[in-house]
Amino acid sequence: MAAILSFIGALAGAIIGFVGSWLLLKYNYKDLFAKTVSSNRMDWINKFRDEIATVIGTIRILKHSEPPYGDYRADILKAEQARVRLLTRLNMHTERFGNEYNEVFAKRLEALNFYDADKVSEDDMQKLIDLTRKILEPEWQRVKSEAKGEQR
């Protein structure tokens, strides 16, 4: 009888240990996944900000400079590269929440001419900044939700 009770106790301990390990592993995986996604999303947001700052900053420098812009070729190249990175970051599936501004942003960004910066108005640049905020706000909300462990 004692052998049977020992066996049952050992079996119950093994089952409890297995279930506990499985739950811990599942929780840790979800936590790791949420942290990784949040970290990558935050990196995406920060790079987006840096790239739009490069584009807007270059336009502003050029607006206060005299053509030809030969001395600013390296700056223009960086701004063009930032523009391309921004355009490739955008998800053009505008029916998804948070993507409704992407198409308008892309058109405004593509319309910028670094070699004719005088024709870019402060209003044009402000609209790009406003669109950037509208694009990044849902991403920031996702980061906050993920950090709290909420699912969206």
Side-chain angles (χ1 to χ4, degrees):
M1 184 68 161
I4 294 174
L5 289 177
S6 294
F7 176 73
I8 292 174
L11 184 62
I15 291 172
I16 290 170
F18 174 76
V19 170
S21 296
W22 180 77
L23 289 173
L24 184 63
L25 182 64
K26 185 175 179 179
Y27 171 76
N28 284 341
Y29 175 76
K30 283 184 178 182
D31 187 48
L32 177 63
F33 181 77
K35 286 179 182 175
T36 302
V37 170
S38 291
S39 174
N40 288 338
R41 196 178 307 277
M42 203 59 228
D43 187 47
W44 185 91
I45 289 169
N46 289 333
K47 285 181 180 177
F48 201 100
R49 285 181 182 142
D50 289 343
E51 289 159 358
I52 195 65
T54 298
V55 170
I56 299 291
T58 301
I59 289 288
R60 286 190 172 147
I61 288 170
L62 295 174
K63 284 179 73 66
H64 300 290
S65 304
E66 293 293 322
Y69 301 120
D71 294 342
Y72 296 101
R73 288 169 68 183
D75 295 318
I76 293 171
L77 174 62
K78 287 178 187 173
E80 286 288 3
Q81 290 169 334
R83 179 189 350 223
V84 171
R85 283 191 298 271
L86 284 166
L87 291 171
T88 57
R89 285 179 188 278
L90 293 175
N91 185 337
M92 297 313 281
H93 295 289
T94 56
E95 67 279 355
R96 288 187 56 209
F97 174 74
N99 293 349
E100 58 269 20
Y101 303 105
N102 293 2
E103 191 173 341
V104 176
F105 178 84
K107 286 179 182 176
R108 287 190 173 277
L109 189 60
E110 288 173 338
L112 293 178
N113 183 349
F114 296 108
Y115 290 99
D116 203 2
D118 288 336
K119 291 186 179 176
V120 180
S121 71
E122 281 296 322
D123 187 53
D124 291 334
M125 289 185 284
Q126 188 58 50
K127 285 180 181 173
L128 265 176
I129 292 168
D130 292 343
L131 285 166
T132 298
R133 289 180 180 135
K134 289 176 180 177
I135 290 168
L136 295 182
E137 180 60 26
E139 297 300 324
W140 174 240
Q141 293 302 325
R142 286 185 189 118
V143 168
K144 290 193 306 188
S145 293
E146 290 162 356
K148 294 177 186 175
E150 298 171 358
Q151 291 185 347
R152 290 184 62 107

